Amino acid sequence: MPYFTRLILFLFCLMVLVESRKPKRKRWTGQVEMPKPSHLYKKNLDVTKIRKGKPQQLLRVDEHDFSMRPAFGGPAIPVGVDVQVESLDSISEVDMDFTMTLYLRHYWKDERLAFSSASNKSMTFDGRLVKKIWVPDVFFVHSKRSFTHDTTTDNIMLRVFPDGHVLYSMRITVTAMCNMDFSHFPLDSQTCSLELESYAYTDEDLMLYWKNGDESLKTDEKISLSQFLIQKFHTTSRLAFYSSTGWYNRLYINFTLRRHIFFFLLQTYFPATLMVMLSWVSFWIDRRAVPARVSLGITTVLTMTTIITGVNASMPRVSYVKAVDIYLWVSFVFVFLSVLEYAAVNYLTTVQERKERKLREKFPGMCGMLHSKTMMLDGSYSESEANSLAGYPRSHILTEEERQDKIVVHLGLSGDANAARKKGLLKGQMGFRIFQNTHAIDKYSRLIFPASYIFFNLIYWSVFS
């Protein structure tokens, strides 16, 4: 019985194994399946993209030590330089610097990079190869900030020729110091320099020079500045000496800037001139209008102070006098003198009125005379001269009590002959300061102040322009 059971199990397992190995029949769907083309199963290969072994390296970078300069131990390697100025971004008087964007290119020969090629006249690389080979260590002397542009990648280009000549170009923005002289500001011209020099190699190892002389410096014709007119770009070179390291070749990019004056005419000179002219208006205002003349004088003084403060706020704190300072401070003095002029007029008017009041109290009968004129006589004149002018005979002598430093004499004009005689006497005695009138100060100021200011302007513009 156990034997029969084992036989049945064996046959059952055998049948299951046979059924599992039979191919499954597909269910009929009513559609005839077409055979697929062979090109959909296997993509044809692009023979141009098949890498046939390892390519041969044209530049044998790994076979040389590029930490040393070319021809190490021999003569100095010549490195030519040329520059193309893309833009002058800004000129700062406060910081005494300028910002420039330029293309800096170096030319030298390194035989270690020479390669033989019948088809390639040169090979161009980006900035990744620069870290593997020797390049000149040129830096900007007196630079404050500088950087190489990196949008969208580092703006560096390296071009190698079959004979080993190398062109190394980069796009740089540099902010460098510029020693400015503001003694003629804003009628000034400034000369700035961008200086290039090797940091480590002296003139015995590296000879830095302008590749094409003055033609090595190119500028964009569209370069312009808001406050300056670019007059000239030129190049120079000389040796720089450091006591601890030696002599170095130094290249200079020099450019001259002349300032536009129109902006400062509108913002500084015209307002200052108008304030001075406005202060002269007080000479035509009645001397008894104290609030009007005082407020006008104070307003012009404060306005001139504001103009001077605004100009100096945008300038460096230099220890010498600038041209604009001379103009503004002279204008301020004219405005201030117009205030002092009214102070003098007001004081003399008060003194005159006080003396007239005392004389009226002393001689009450003389105040009612018709057609009288008041004359102030200086006490330096003799008694006979004063009496003759007053219509008294020379024998009549005034008492010491009646004589004052300045006395008032009422002259009666009875006839034409008498008036003509007295008029001649007044003209003859004008040089002796017979009479003083506070109105005369305003009359003279109306002529002296404008004439003096015009004379100052003629001298100023002839000297500084």
Side-chain angles (χ1 to χ4, degrees):
M1 187 67 183
Y3 176 77
F4 181 75
T5 303
R6 286 195 295 270
L7 180 61
I8 293 175
L9 291 174
F10 175 76
L11 294 175
F12 179 76
C13 292
L14 184 61
M15 292 175 61
V16 172
L17 181 61
V18 172
E19 289 293 332
S20 63
R21 292 192 173 185
K22 287 182 179 181
K24 296 182 179 180
R25 295 182 180 180
K26 295 184 179 180
R27 187 177 179 182
W28 174 255
T29 58
Q31 297 179 357
V32 179
E33 184 176 359
M34 299 297 294
K36 295 182 179 180
S38 59
H39 69 273
L40 295 179
Y41 288 96
K42 185 176 181 181
K43 186 177 180 180
N44 295 331
L45 297 177
D46 188 356
V47 295
T48 61
K49 297 182 180 180
I50 299 177
R51 185 174 182 178
K52 299 180 180 180
K54 186 178 180 180
Q56 182 181 1
Q57 293 184 355
L58 294 179
L59 296 182
R60 300 182 297 274
V61 176
D62 299 332
E63 299 179 5
H64 301 281
D65 183 9
F66 284 96
S67 61
M68 295 183 294
R69 68 174 179 86
F72 181 78
I77 174 175
V79 177
V81 175
D82 68 30
V83 171
Q84 180 174 349
V85 179
E86 181 181 8
S87 64
L88 267 174
D89 301 325
S90 64
I91 307 290
S92 175
E93 291 88 357
V94 178
D95 299 328
M96 285 193 179
D97 58 24
F98 65 92
T99 302
M100 178 186 293
T101 300
L102 53 90
Y103 295 94
L104 178 61
R105 303 185 181 97
H106 309 77
Y107 302 85
W108 74 94
K109 183 177 182 180
D110 192 345
E111 295 181 353
R112 296 172 295 183
L113 298 176
F115 62 93
S116 59
S117 176
S119 58
N120 294 328
K121 295 182 180 180
S122 64
M123 291 190 298
T124 303
F125 304 92
D126 56 15
R128 289 173 290 184
L129 184 62
V130 174
K131 301 178 181 179
K132 299 180 180 180
I133 65 173
W134 181 90
V135 294
D137 58 340
V138 175
F139 78 105
F140 296 100
V141 185
H142 305 308
S143 67
K144 298 181 178 180
R145 296 174 300 274
S146 62
F147 63 91
T148 303
H149 291 260
D150 56 0
T151 305
T152 57
T153 60
D154 292 339
N155 295 172
I156 297 175
M157 185 269 288
L158 189 71
R159 182 171 296 170
V160 182
F161 296 87
D163 58 354
H165 281 88
V166 182
L167 165 60
Y168 176 42
S169 176
M170 61 182 69
R171 182 168 175 254
I172 302 173
T173 294
V174 57
T175 301
M177 182 180 66
C178 178
N179 294 322
M180 300 182 183
D181 181 16
F182 296 107
S183 58
H184 286 70
F185 176 87
L187 305 169
D188 58 334
S189 296
Q190 303 294 340
T191 300
C192 300
S193 299
L194 184 62
E195 306 171 14
L196 296 85
E197 183 181 303
S198 174
Y199 189 83
Y201 297 100
T202 63
D203 61 339
E204 297 178 355
D205 292 323
L206 190 145
M207 184 180 67
L208 206 62
Y209 68 98
W210 290 112
K211 187 175 184 297
N212 298 316
D214 291 337
E215 299 297 328
S216 301
L217 180 61
K218 303 292 184 180
T219 58
D220 193 344
E221 296 180 355
K222 298 181 180 179
I223 295 178
S224 62
L225 293 170
S226 58
Q227 291 191 24
F228 292 92
L229 173 65
I230 303 175
Q231 290 186 326
K232 184 180 180 182
F233 271 96
H234 65 281
T235 61
T236 56
S237 61
R238 65 185 66 174
L239 289 175
F241 177 74
Y242 298 91
S243 58
S244 58
T245 53
W247 294 90
Y248 294 81
N249 293 111
R250 182 177 294 182
L251 306 181
Y252 295 82
I253 301 174
N254 304 310
F255 55 96
T256 303
L257 304 173
R258 182 168 182 81
R259 196 182 305 273
H260 294 300
I261 188 60
F262 188 72
F263 171 80
F264 295 94
L265 288 177
L266 293 179
Q267 298 295 325
T268 303
Y269 288 97
F270 284 167
T273 303
L274 290 177
M275 287 301 105
V276 174
M277 297 174 65
L278 183 62
S279 67
W280 300 340
V281 176
S282 63
F283 303 150
W284 278 266
I285 300 177
D286 189 0
R287 58 181 175 174
R288 290 179 292 271
V290 177
R293 296 189 68 164
V294 171
S295 61
L296 179 61
I298 294 176
T299 301
T300 54
V301 169
L302 293 178
T303 304
M304 284 301 305
T305 304
T306 303
I307 295 174
I308 294 173
T309 304
V311 171
N312 291 329
S314 59
M315 294 296 298
R317 298 177 180 178
V318 295
S319 59
Y320 49 84
V321 179
K322 303 182 291 293
V324 68
D325 293 336
I326 296 175
Y327 193 90
L328 292 179
W329 280 106
V330 170
S331 300
F332 181 83
V333 169
F334 271 89
V335 171
F336 188 73
L337 288 178
S338 66
V339 178
L340 295 182
E341 185 269 349
Y342 177 64
V345 169
N346 194 357
Y347 174 75
L348 293 177
T349 301
T350 304
V351 172
Q352 179 182 356
E353 291 176 352
R354 187 183 302 117
K355 289 184 178 181
E356 290 178 354
R357 186 167 55 254
K358 290 181 180 179
L359 289 175
R360 282 196 300 269
E361 294 174 357
K362 184 175 298 185
F363 305 102
M366 298 178 64
C367 298
M369 296 179 63
L370 297 176
H371 306 289
S372 63
K373 290 187 178 180
T374 301
M375 298 179 60
M376 298 181 63
L377 297 180
D378 198 325
S380 62
Y381 296 98
S382 63
E383 298 174 1
S384 60
E385 290 174 346
N387 292 330
S388 63
L389 287 175
Y392 299 107
R394 291 183 178 269
S395 60
H396 180 78
I397 305 299
L398 294 176
T399 64
E400 186 67 24
E401 182 179 1
E402 293 175 348
R403 268 191 304 111
Q404 305 293 335
D405 291 337
K406 294 188 178 189
I407 64 177
V408 178
V409 181
H410 296 274
L411 301 177
L413 304 180
S414 58
D416 295 338
N418 191 23
R421 182 176 60 85
K422 293 181 179 179
K423 184 176 181 181
L425 288 174
L426 287 176
K427 289 183 179 180
Q429 298 296 332
M430 196 59 131
F432 299 98
R433 298 177 300 174
I434 294 178
F435 110 175
Q436 290 180 344
N437 188 351
T438 54
H439 287 289
I441 299 178
D442 282 340
K443 291 179 181 179
Y444 293 147
S445 298
R446 295 170 189 174
L447 299 176
I448 295 175
F449 274 73
S452 301
Y453 195 69
I454 292 173
F455 180 71
F456 161 71
N457 275 271
L458 291 176
I459 296 177
Y460 180 86
W461 293 107
S462 62
V463 171
F464 290 104
S465 62

